[in-house]
Amino acid sequence: MGTLFFFHPAIPPLPLPSVPKPTAFPPLSCLRNNGDVSGLHENKSEGSKNVDISQTISNDGQNVKQDNIWQSFKEAQQNILFLNKQRLGAIEELEKTSREKHSLLKKIKKLEAEKQAGAGKDSLSTCSELLLRIDAMVLSSMISPGEASELRSLVINHKVSLADVFNIISRKKDPELLGELRHFSHGHKKIGFHIVHICTEMTPMVPRGSVASYVTGISRALQRKGHLVEVILPKYASLNLDEVQGLREVNVEAYSYFNGQLHGNRIWTGVVYGIGVTLIEPKYFSSFFNREMIYGYPDDFERFSYFCRASLDYMVKCGKQPDVLHLHNWETAIVGPLFWDIFVNQGLGGTKILFTCHGFNSQGIEHPDKLALCGLDPLKLHRPDRLQDNTNTQLVNILKGGIIYSNRVVIMSSIYPKHIIVHNLSHELEPTLNDHRDKLVIAPYGLNKSTWDPSTDYFLPENFNAENINGKAVCKVSLLQQLGLSEHSSSILVGCIIPEGLDMDEKRVKEVILNAKQHDVQFIFLGTSERSVLNQTLESLREELKGDNLKLLPTYDEALLHLVFAGSDIILCQSFLDPTDEIPLIALRYGAAPIALTSEASTNRVMPFERNFINQDHEATMYSKLINSSFLNMSLGLAVDEIRTNTATWKRNIMQAMAHDLSWDGECYDLHLAAYSAIKNM
């Protein structure tokens, strides 16, 4: 019987256990009742009986000896197999520990890099915290709005040097801090804009959708370039306050007008990613934001119009004079009419309005009488050239008011150009958008460059960039080895990242995998959450689509997520139209082609205006042109064929795509800076 032994080079082999010597047994004999030795066959002679008994005893002894030896050998075999099993388990634990140690070291390096990259955040946080403390001084009547304005100018003009002087702000009381501010020398020239967002979302406090990621992304990009940004939000009961530094309640009530009366509000301040944040909490209307959801209630107009009026009342009370008030969607669009009809002459004459629209599906259609709740005149605004709805003329359209009462309108759309949005996606607002076409700006969404950068990503075995992409091949080999996939050089690796909250089209996924099997394509499906429904779907796919070229990994792993982007040739994504989906942007950043599961080339579902878009992209964003020219209508099969038949051209196109800055600091920032500059020069 052969036995297979496994030995690891790092662990010396165990010695085989020695086989014990057979035990010597005494001769067997039978005794009569009287104690004499008895034979086994009574019909034989006494001598014959003795011979037969001796032979029998001898044979039995040999058999017992062989049985004992065989039993000892089997026990030795079992011991060896057990020890080998223990050894293999120990080896596996050592390798697992080594992998975990390697991953931990990478995370530590990543944190150190982020700390180094964010060395300037201290000055931004200091500046933001100083501005919030100045607000509190005005509210408590310690200083006048005029002096507050001068002190804000001081803070804004001296962002860098202030961080060196005003450290440990949170430990200083207002009088001490005010004295230091008054003695701080003037002498630097003002740089950048002062921007205040009035909005209903911001990551990570309200990580709900496209507005949340946009407000944080563009604000951080602006601050990195020397501008000062503040954010005013409702104080929802569901706020995530983990990333808020120095959260404190201002010990003075701020009053605001609503429904014919003044109502008190609690004011909270803090700093998020270096951005000063003010939270407004109604006292009398406490139920407005003490709810499970952010949106979707019958009194949404009342809730958000209260917040908008309270934000402006707070700004005037504090003496804030930002360069730009930045509004978002219909929920804060009412700030536009409020600003120009009521607040512009209350110290805000130098402020301009920029309105960002993230879509036209929800426009805030209301009865005109409700405008009076926040102090507006319904008769003045219920007109075709003001807020009157274009379709139902008995009602007012709050989103329309945001467009009309702003100096610039930024429409966030990564894919569609201006003429497509105006003519096909504006939901009855086409006449309004045409009348104000000159102030429309189309801007793409971005991604966080500090998190997603293959040239500095510490989760990768070798970094790479658009100029030198060799490290991507190293990442691919590492990924294949880690997942136990074939390392055949001709195979094409397709990654599919399934974001949290996405309902995966199981039928479509099966279709794509089965169609690609004949092309020597390997698939990796990676989930980004622990959702049981997703896990069940992936397990179902695993059972049905068994094969050596398919890996389904439902459990989220940050290091593996980065490696999948870096090692894949193609990244499957749901579509290019979801503004909250960063997957196509990250894929391009990491040198992988983003291919939509719902690609028109594979589903034959090209909408009429999309066909028109192909030949009319002169008003599109850079990202839109890139996607449209290379990937929008490309199926997975076509992409695989291109990689195999036009390898050099494909690689050149991928490297050109990598060179584009698709972060918030790139095209998105440039377009916003141009919009801010244009309205300040009006």
Side-chain angles (χ1 to χ4, degrees):
M1 175 179 178
T3 304
L4 181 61
F5 302 103
F6 298 93
F7 298 102
H8 192 276
I11 301 177
L14 297 174
L16 294 177
S18 58
V19 180
K21 295 181 179 181
T23 304
F25 294 92
L28 298 177
S29 61
C30 297
L31 299 177
R32 296 182 184 273
N33 291 335
N34 60 4
D36 295 333
V37 176
S38 172
L40 298 178
H41 303 284
E42 292 190 6
N43 59 340
K44 294 187 177 181
S45 66
E46 195 69 28
S48 297
K49 289 179 181 179
N50 289 337
V51 172
D52 290 342
I53 290 172
S54 297
Q55 290 176 348
T56 301
I57 291 173
S58 176
N59 290 336
D60 288 346
Q62 290 293 330
N63 290 336
V64 170
K65 184 190 295 184
Q66 291 177 359
D67 288 344
N68 284 331
I69 293 173
W70 180 243
Q71 181 64 30
S72 297
F73 182 70
K74 287 200 296 183
E75 289 176 357
Q77 276 189 316
Q78 290 174 354
N79 288 336
I80 292 169
L81 292 173
F82 173 76
L83 291 171
N84 276 327
K85 184 177 179 181
Q86 292 291 98
R87 184 189 302 112
L88 291 173
I91 293 170
E92 186 177 345
E93 284 297 316
L94 284 172
E95 291 176 345
K96 181 181 177 182
T97 302
S98 177
R99 288 194 302 268
E100 290 175 350
K101 177 183 175 183
H102 187 60
S103 176
L104 181 59
L105 287 173
K106 284 188 173 183
K107 289 182 179 180
I108 292 172
K109 289 181 180 179
K110 180 188 176 188
L111 290 173
E112 290 175 347
E114 289 177 349
K115 183 178 179 181
Q116 286 283 34
K121 290 180 183 176
D122 290 340
S123 63
L124 295 175
S125 298
T126 300
C127 188
S128 296
E129 191 171 351
L130 278 170
L131 289 173
L132 295 173
R133 292 290 292 274
I134 292 171
D135 294 347
M137 293 175 192
V138 180
L139 291 175
S140 63
S141 301
M142 181 179 293
I143 58 176
S144 67
E147 184 177 5
S149 179
E150 293 177 1
L151 291 175
R152 286 193 191 91
S153 297
L154 171 66
V155 172
I156 294 168
N157 297 345
H158 298 261
K159 286 190 285 291
V160 176
S161 50
L162 274 169
D164 299 328
V165 178
F166 295 99
N167 49 14
I168 323 177
I169 295 175
S170 59
R171 300 181 186 176
K172 297 179 180 179
K173 295 183 178 180
D174 285 347
E176 180 186 2
L177 188 60
L178 177 59
E180 293 185 8
L181 278 169
R182 283 172 173 166
H183 287 90
F184 188 76
S185 64
H186 296 253
H188 288 77
K189 184 179 178 181
K190 177 179 177 180
I191 55 172
F193 294 113
H194 179 199
I195 300 145
V196 174
H197 291 270
I198 300 179
C199 55
T200 56
E201 301 176 19
M202 178 189 183
T203 55
M205 292 189 295
V206 190
R208 186 182 187 278
S210 58
V211 176
S213 59
Y214 163 77
V215 169
T216 303
I218 193 60
S219 296
R220 296 182 75 182
L222 286 161
Q223 295 220 138
R224 280 190 287 267
K225 302 294 179 68
H227 308 280
L228 183 68
V229 184
E230 296 183 74
V231 175
I232 303 178
L233 283 165
K235 190 176 187 300
Y236 302 105
S238 58
L239 281 179
N240 176 10
L241 302 175
D242 292 345
E243 297 293 333
V244 182
Q245 300 175 0
L247 181 66
R248 63 193 291 266
E249 181 180 359
V250 179
N251 293 323
V252 177
E253 283 190 1
Y255 288 90
S256 61
Y257 176 90
F258 191 75
N259 197 19
Q261 299 181 48
L262 292 177
H263 299 278
N265 302 289
R266 291 189 177 94
I267 303 297
W268 300 75
T269 61
V271 178
V272 179
Y273 300 146
I275 304 164
V277 176
T278 299
L279 306 174
I280 296 180
E281 180 183 9
K283 294 184 69 176
Y284 182 76
F285 294 100
S286 59
S287 66
F288 275 176
F289 304 112
N290 191 21
R291 304 180 185 183
E292 182 180 354
M293 300 185 299
I294 304 298
Y295 311 115
Y297 297 99
D299 62 344
D300 274 357
F301 175 77
E302 287 86 341
R303 297 169 65 226
F304 294 115
S305 62
Y306 180 96
F307 163 69
C308 291
R309 176 66 194 244
S311 299
L312 289 170
D313 282 323
Y314 167 76
M315 288 179 56
V316 169
K317 175 68 174 176
C318 293
K320 284 183 182 289
Q321 296 177 327
D323 296 305
V324 179
L325 267 182
H326 196 146
L327 318 177
H328 304 266
N329 283 354
W330 80 260
E331 287 83 2
T332 58
I334 201 67
V335 169
L338 281 169
F339 177 84
W340 294 111
D341 288 1
I342 299 174
F343 287 92
V344 69
N345 295 321
Q346 298 185 38
L348 294 171
T351 301
K352 297 295 189 290
I353 302 290
L354 187 139
F355 177 59
T356 295
C357 182
H358 297 261
F360 296 93
N361 291 331
S362 182
Q363 300 182 9
I365 310 299
E366 294 292 341
H367 291 284
D369 292 345
K370 287 189 176 183
L371 296 174
L373 291 171
C374 57
L376 292 171
D377 184 351
L379 294 177
K380 180 180 177 181
L381 296 175
H382 190 205
R383 293 165 37 184
D385 61 339
R386 295 292 187 267
L387 271 66
Q388 185 181 63
D389 187 60
N390 294 340
T391 303
N392 191 337
T393 57
Q394 302 303 311
L395 303 176
V396 291
N397 187 315
I398 309 304
L399 184 66
K400 178 182 176 181
I403 296 169
I404 292 172
Y405 279 86
S406 61
N407 300 105
R408 274 289 188 278
V409 178
V410 175
I411 300 175
M412 296 303 295
S413 174
S414 293
I415 294 298
Y416 294 120
K418 185 188 293 186
H419 71 278
I420 293 295
I421 294 170
V422 171
H423 296 302
N424 301 93
L425 301 173
S426 57
H427 295 277
E428 313 302 332
L429 281 177
E430 181 178 353
T432 304
L433 293 175
N434 277 326
D435 290 342
H436 297 268
R437 191 182 186 92
D438 290 343
K439 64 182 183 184
L440 302 184
V441 177
I442 310 299
Y445 292 90
L447 57 83
N448 188 343
K449 185 162 58 174
S450 62
T451 302
W452 299 106
D453 185 352
S455 66
T456 59
D457 194 331
Y458 283 97
F459 287 118
L460 306 185
E462 185 171 323
N463 297 117
F464 58 94
N465 54 39
E467 288 73 36
N468 183 358
I469 203 173
N470 294 335
K472 186 171 177 65
V474 177
C475 294
K476 182 176 181 179
V477 171
S478 176
L479 179 60
L480 293 172
Q481 289 176 344
Q482 185 170 331
L483 298 181
L485 291 168
S486 170
E487 299 175 39
H488 197 280
S489 59
S490 66
S491 65
I492 293 174
L493 186 58
V494 178
C496 184
I497 315 298
I498 306 167
E500 186 174 2
L502 177 68
D503 293 326
M504 190 171 64
D505 187 345
E506 187 175 346
K507 181 179 179 182
R508 178 65 186 143
V509 169
K510 290 178 185 177
E511 179 184 337
V512 168
I513 294 175
L514 292 173
N515 289 341
K517 271 191 171 181
Q518 56 189 338
H519 296 288
D520 188 23
V521 174
Q522 296 171 309
F523 286 92
I524 299 172
F525 284 80
L526 179 64
T528 58
S529 71
E530 300 292 340
R531 293 181 297 130
S532 60
V533 174
L534 172 62
N535 293 351
Q536 292 170 5
T537 302
L538 289 179
E539 287 298 331
S540 173
L541 280 173
R542 191 202 305 272
E543 291 297 320
E544 187 170 344
L545 301 172
K546 290 179 180 177
D548 297 333
N549 288 336
L550 177 64
K551 283 289 180 181
L552 302 171
L553 308 166
T555 303
Y556 175 73
D557 183 319
E558 185 180 5
L560 185 58
L561 177 64
H562 284 244
L563 191 57
V564 168
F565 276 114
S568 297
D569 301 295
I570 295 169
I571 293 290
L572 288 179
C573 49
Q574 189 69 9
S575 75
F576 295 110
L577 305 179
D578 182 358
T580 64
D581 188 1
E582 293 184 337
I583 289 175
L585 296 169
I586 301 171
L588 289 170
R589 180 87 168 153
Y590 279 66
I595 302 297
L597 276 169
T598 55
S599 168
E600 286 81 6
S602 57
T603 59
N604 297 317
R605 292 182 298 191
V606 182
M607 297 178 69
F609 61 84
E610 287 172 339
R611 294 192 186 96
N612 186 41
F613 170 34
I614 294 172
N615 298 316
Q616 298 186 33
D617 62 354
H618 58 280
E619 294 179 313
T621 64
M622 176 188 67
Y623 173 74
S624 175
K625 294 175 183 178
L626 175 63
I627 292 296
N628 177 59
S629 63
S630 303
F631 307 109
L632 183 65
N633 296 308
M634 181 175 287
S635 66
L636 178 60
L638 182 58
V640 170
D641 290 341
E642 282 293 310
I643 293 175
R644 290 231 166 88
T645 58
N646 298 306
T647 304
T649 302
W650 180 269
K651 183 178 180 180
R652 184 170 61 251
N653 290 339
I654 289 294
M655 294 176 71
Q656 289 174 352
M658 287 182 67
H660 290 287
D661 187 354
L662 303 177
S663 70
W664 295 109
D665 300 73
E667 183 181 16
C668 185
Y669 167 80
D670 293 338
L671 290 168
H672 280 77
L673 180 61
Y676 293 143
S677 302
I679 62 180
K680 278 302 291 179
N681 292 328
M682 286 181 172

